[in-house]
Structures are given as C-alpha cells and as structure tokens.
Amino acid sequence: MKIDIRLATTLGLTTLSSLALSQSASQPRPNIIYIMSDDHAFQAISAYGSPISKHAPTPNIDRIASNGMIFNRCLVTNSISGPCRAVVLTGKYSHLNGFVKNEGQAPFDSGQQTFPKLLQQAGYATAMIGKWHLGSDPTGFDHWEILPGQGNYYNPDFITKDGRHVENGYVTEIITDKSIEWINTAKNSGKPFMLMMHHKAPHREWQPGPNELSLYKDVTFPEPATLLDDYSNRGRAAKEQDMTISRTMRLIEDLKLYPESATTKNVGLNRMNPEQMAAWDKVYDPIIRHFYESKLSGNDLIRFKYQRYMQDYLACIAAVDKSVGEVLDYLKENGLEKNTVVIYASDQGFYLGEHGWFDKRFMFEESYRTPLLIQWPGTVKAGSVNNDIVSNLDFAETILDMAKVPVPADMQGMSMVPVLKGKTPSDWRKEHYYHYYEYPAVHSVKRHYGISTERYKLIHFYYDIDEWELYDLKSDPEEMKNVYNDPVYATIKDDLHKRLEKLRVKYKDTDESLKSFLPSK
Ligand SMILES: [Ca+2]
C-alpha cells in the first residue's frame, strides 16, 4: 500500500504512523513450502560438497543454497522417522510430544498443538502431501493426502479423508504433481499458503524410478574412509548394532539381486505393472547375472554391496532433485518466487557406508545432522552459509515467525528468522541435546542421550548397558575414538556432564521422564 503524502499531511502525524503500521501489517505474509525427504544424507547433496555427490550432483536442491542459505550443522533431536516428524510439527522433544519411536508406539496425538494448526487458525491455506508416518490422520491441514506407513515407490496407495486408493506411477513424481496442483489452487485462494511436501524417497529399499533406472548403474562411487570400520576404540553400542552393509543389508530385498532361478523375483517389487517390471529387468538382469558369476566374498562383497546401495539410493535422490526443480520452476513461472519461502530438509541424516553402516539412529554426525537449505528472497541473502547449531526442534517456531504468528511459550526451539537474516543472536544455543529411544528394536541401536557442542560430544548409552562416550570432533571428525577415559579430556568431560544435566532439566527430560519410556522387562 502506497501512502499519499498530501493525504498523510492532511490527516496529521498520528494517522500517518497508524497508516505506516497498517502498511507493515498488510505486507503480504510469505507462502511457505516445506519439502522434506526421507533419509536423505547431507553427504548426498552436492551443495555440501561431499566426494559422493560429485558423482551424483543435485543441481536443483543446490539452487536453494545459491538462492538462500545452507546450514552446515542442523541437528535432529531423535534420529528416526516418526519422532523427527513429530518434533517438526510440535517444536517439542519426543518425551513431550509423546512420539518417541517408530515401532511399538501409540499413534501421534493429533489433538495437540502443532504449527500447521496455528497457521491454519491464522488464515493460511495448509496442505500435507506425501509420507506422514505418524499413525493418526493429519490435523491442521485444509487438504491432506498421505502414504500409508512407509509408502511404496511404485503405484503407491494414498490415504485421504475419503479413504485409501492406488495411484499409478512413481511415488516421487506423483507427490510432486499433487503438490503443484494444490499450490496452483491455493495461490488463488486469497490466503497465503503453507505446504508440507514429504517425499518417501530415498528410504530403504531404494527403488529408483523409471526415469532414473540406469542413471548410475555404471558409476563407481568413492568409498568412505571408514567403510571397513572394526569399531575398536569404541564401546558396545557401536559393536552390537545391526545396521552394517556387510551383515544387515540384504542381497535380495535391499540390493534387488534376485537369482535368475528365483521364483520370488517380484518380492519387494510386486506393485509394478508388467511394463514397469520389464523396464526394471532390462537394467537389473545384467547386474544380477554379473553378480552371481563373480562369486564375491569378504571385503570385495562389502565393496560391491556399497556400490549397489549407492547406485540405487542416489538414483532415488535424482528424482527428488528433479522434483525440487519442478517446484522452483513453477514458483518462478507463476510469479510466486519472491514471496515464497522454500525449505529443503530430510527427516534425519543417514549413513552412506561410514562406519560400514546404512540407516540412522546414532548420535554420530552422519545421522545426527540433517541437510537444511532455505530460500526466502528479499530476506535471506543469496549464497549464504551458516555454521550455527540449529535443529529440527526450531522448525515450528521458525515457520510461525516467518508467518508472523505468535510462537507459543511451550515450544522448545528457537526461531531461526534472525539467523536467516544473517544476525544470529548472541544468546543462540552453543549446545544441543539428543535422545534416542527405539531399543530393543530393528537395527539394535542402544538407547542413548547426549550433548553436542561445536567441538565435543558426550553420549550416555543406557538400558541394557551403562557406557559413556566422548568425542572430539576437531581431532577426530569421523568419531572413531572414544576419549571418555582419556585424562587429557577430564576437565572437558566434567564440564560437558554439567551442561548435559542442565539441558535435561531445561528440556524436562529428567531420569523420571526417561524411565517412563522404558519397556517393561
Ligand atoms: Ca527417515
């Protein structure tokens, strides 16, 4: 709204300031598109510059970094799908939002306060499309269309208010089309909009789409230095997990290496139609033949499995990257780019062979960190890089603040809006609290909580174990050596113990709370 100076002079100063106020209040609130993939490691985004991503670039996700800000240390509070999603929605730690793990868990209490509900109440058009994974139906959305549980890659089922139906095609492309279709309607609603667009990809079992089937089949990816980790210098937790490429990753279901003689060729791929199956076989049959002829064993087999894993995982990501490009193009072509915030994140990080692992759960960097890139033209300086400790705990507050909606006092994160403006407050967090609960369970990662600072990490593994681990990320960025009992670190250890206890009090995650989530033995 432009103020007519002559009119303003006539009306007088008081009215002028109220006009200025109403002008500021009537600045359009930004549209917000929150794109979240599932298990997308930062190592697999080329804007983060890892060796793997040089062979499998993500030019469209990288566009968000060039247009806005890339975060080098966005940490999750509990590295597993459903709990991360619940933290994002509520801005509260798992023990307070009640959704602490994926398995053996009551559905998410959808009656509680979430940021989409608050946005909806504040006049935003809201939608949730894609992977939800919280057991209960979404609330706070004008429109929602979700995958059941983990969802399927090919011809997936979707659940809406009206029930369950099949959609033909590849899940990443379907979610993209549905999202753009919704934005196309929402942009004419007279309201600002907020979309949560949640990809299933690149979750296990990593089935590439029809357009990416052969993309990386002949590419050899660089191996992480710790692929053949023997877990020496660490405690039982690293030794007793069940998420190794060597032992846990399955040849048939995970790597799709069906023996030619197998009558179970369709196991895991049984949603494909004959045409999709034929296209798949054309690419995978020669790989399968070659594998069984090679008779690999030992470290050669681990190395082969790692390559197959990367080829499929990164091909799934290529479709996600294309999807991000389509959304960005759509915004540009429809004049929405300037007033739309685009956030790209994963639900958590993931191991791409580091420590010989796949999967997540541990408070070690690869799964503790999640990629985060945000563009907000006019507010976030293009090409900026942030090294502050931010968290998925902050997402709800940040999005509310972007939308100028008051942040409820019981949310536990911090609005990143000042950080996005390049003005990190002096009292921004210097340490981050983590708590993982899903044990005993698949992958056997023991329960643990801990504190991380910029340089150090103190972790307590508990339940059927009582072990402390301390890592110095500066001297040991790959977290290969627990220095908890090294006298050199005695003072640092004491300091971290004190700070950890303070954080547990601050976030209301005391021993009492911890015990309430223990399984009955
Ligand atoms: Ca996940």
Side-chain angles (χ1 to χ4, degrees):
M1 169 180 153
K2 280 187 181 151
I3 300 171
D4 184 320
I5 294 296
R6 284 162 305 173
L7 176 65
T9 313
T10 319
L11 291 173
L13 200 62
T14 313
T15 319
L16 177 63
S17 35
S18 63
L19 270 173
L21 269 178
S22 72
Q23 181 192 27
S24 140
S26 68
Q27 284 262 327
R29 294 178 292 175
N31 306 307
I32 297 160
I33 300 179
Y34 176 80
I35 308 174
M36 183 163 74
S37 51
D38 191 356
D39 294 355
H40 191 175
F42 65 86
Q43 310 92 295
I45 291 179
S46 39
Y48 282 103
S50 78
I52 291 168
S53 64
K54 287 193 176 65
H55 300 260
T58 50
N60 292 300
I61 295 170
D62 292 2
R63 276 162 71 186
I64 303 176
S66 342
N67 294 341
M69 186 175 272
I70 185 166
F71 292 83
N72 282 327
R73 204 131 188 270
C74 181
L75 304 175
V76 299
T77 63
N78 178 4
S79 181
I80 182 82
S81 175
C84 284
R85 291 154 201 273
V87 168
V88 167
L89 290 169
T90 60
K92 290 177 185 168
Y93 271 92
S94 305
H95 61 282
L96 294 187
N97 69 46
F99 204 86
V100 301
K101 50 191 182 150
N102 277 349
E103 304 297 329
Q105 163 73 50
F108 177 68
D109 167 17
S110 57
Q112 69 184 299
Q113 168 186 280
T114 63
F115 87 80
K117 278 187 198 170
L118 295 169
L119 285 187
Q120 192 183 40
Q121 285 159 16
Y124 266 73
T126 58
M128 160 66 224
I129 295 169
K131 181 175 169 180
W132 177 247
H133 208 207
L134 286 167
S136 48
D137 285 349
T139 52
F141 299 99
D142 304 334
H143 174 81
W144 56 267
E145 215 164 338
I146 58 169
L147 303 169
Q150 297 285 5
N152 287 104
Y153 277 106
Y154 279 83
N155 310 326
D157 280 2
F158 277 83
I159 302 171
T160 67
K161 289 179 185 115
D162 302 323
R164 193 160 164 155
H165 67 281
V166 186
E167 295 267 351
N168 292 318
Y170 186 63
V171 70
T172 305
E173 294 167 6
I174 297 168
I175 289 170
T176 310
D177 292 347
K178 286 182 183 298
S179 296
I180 290 177
E181 197 181 303
W182 182 79
I183 299 170
N184 206 31
T185 311
K187 75 176 175 14
N188 301 322
S189 67
K191 292 175 171 184
F193 61 81
M194 190 284 294
L195 166 68
M196 300 187 87
M197 173 181 176
H198 291 190
H199 283 299
K200 175 213 167 30
H203 192 276
R204 192 187 187 191
E205 287 90 5
W206 319 297
Q207 295 174 9
N211 294 311
E212 292 83 24
L213 277 175
S214 57
L215 189 59
Y216 299 127
K217 73 179 178 65
D218 299 320
V219 177
T220 303
F221 292 96
E223 291 173 4
T226 60
L227 180 64
L228 303 175
D229 194 351
D230 64 1
Y231 314 115
S232 55
N233 299 316
R234 273 146 295 161
R236 280 175 52 202
K239 294 181 176 79
E240 294 177 12
Q241 45 63 41
D242 182 21
M243 49 188 259
T244 59
I245 290 176
S246 66
R247 195 182 60 236
T248 317
M249 188 177 274
R250 303 161 301 178
L251 287 176
I252 292 180
E253 294 87 345
D254 292 324
L255 300 179
K256 288 75 82 179
L257 295 165
Y258 298 84
E260 271 192 288
S261 57
T263 51
T264 55
K265 190 157 188 167
N266 285 340
V267 172
L269 300 172
N270 54 355
R271 296 189 69 93
M272 289 186 188
N273 63 36
E275 195 187 333
Q276 290 163 335
M277 196 69 235
W280 180 281
D281 285 342
K282 203 175 159 198
V283 174
Y284 283 80
D285 278 352
I287 297 172
I288 294 169
R289 235 185 339 266
H290 182 254
F291 170 72
Y292 285 102
E293 281 164 10
S294 304
K295 298 190 174 20
L296 298 170
S297 63
N299 290 346
D300 290 341
L301 180 58
I302 295 172
R303 293 198 153 101
F304 173 86
K305 287 171 84 177
Y306 165 75
Q307 293 298 337
R308 279 262 65 247
Y309 163 37
M310 282 302 92
Q311 288 159 358
D312 283 351
Y313 176 87
L314 293 164
C316 291
I317 286 170
V320 172
D321 186 67
K322 190 174 148 213
S323 158
V324 170
E326 283 175 27
V327 172
L328 295 178
D329 289 346
Y330 174 89
L331 295 176
K332 200 166 198 171
E333 285 156 14
N334 288 273
L336 293 167
E337 190 184 40
K338 279 210 166 65
N339 197 39
T340 302
V341 179
V342 180
I343 303 171
Y344 185 84
S346 172
D347 56 348
Q348 24 47 220
F350 212 66
Y351 295 93
L352 306 184
E354 298 87 356
H355 304 292
W357 293 336
F358 65 104
D359 215 71
K360 49 253 178 182
R361 302 162 197 269
F362 275 114
M363 196 190 166
F364 299 126
E365 290 291 287
E366 290 82 3
S367 49
Y368 186 29
R369 271 178 67 183
T370 190
L372 178 66
L373 307 95
I374 301 178
Q375 72 173 53
W376 188 4
T379 301
V380 179
K381 197 175 154 210
S384 41
V385 177
N386 183 277
N387 294 314
D388 297 317
I389 300 177
V390 300
S391 174
N392 63 347
L393 188 68
D394 302 331
F395 292 1
E397 292 193 30
T398 303
I399 292 171
L400 289 173
D401 197 13
M402 284 168 167
K404 300 185 177 75
V405 175
V407 175
D410 61 350
M411 286 191 174
Q412 296 180 302
M414 301 170 88
S415 165
M416 289 160 52
V417 169
V419 176
L420 285 160
K421 290 177 174 169
K423 293 177 181 148
T424 301
S426 56
D427 62 347
W428 191 259
R429 77 163 69 76
K430 305 285 187 291
E431 57 218 354
H432 183 261
Y433 180 64
Y434 183 83
H435 196 158
Y436 172 79
Y437 300 81
E438 192 160 327
Y439 179 89
V442 63
H443 294 305
S444 293
V445 173
K446 294 186 189 296
R447 289 173 181 244
H448 58 292
Y449 62 87
I451 178 175
S452 179
T453 66
E454 187 190 354
R455 176 164 175 182
Y456 300 104
K457 197 179 282 180
L458 176 70
I459 311 174
H460 184 209
F461 292 96
Y462 69 94
Y463 180 58
D464 60 347
I465 181 175
D466 180 13
E467 291 186 7
W468 288 88
E469 299 190 4
L470 173 63
Y471 293 91
D472 180 345
L473 299 178
K474 194 174 175 192
S475 64
D476 177 27
E478 285 163 339
E479 297 168 289
M480 298 291 280
K481 192 178 180 196
N482 171 22
V483 294
Y484 188 76
N485 293 317
D486 183 339
V488 170
Y489 289 92
T491 316
I492 288 155
K493 181 171 80 180
D494 288 349
D495 176 56
L496 287 170
H497 269 293
K498 283 183 196 134
R499 290 166 75 176
L500 174 60
E501 281 317 303
K502 273 190 194 160
L503 283 186
R504 296 183 72 207
V505 172
K506 175 181 172 179
Y507 292 122
K508 303 183 172 70
D509 194 19
T510 54
D511 282 345
E512 193 93 343
S513 160
L514 178 151
K515 280 176 195 153
S516 69
F517 293 104
L518 289 177
S520 41
K521 283 190 186 176

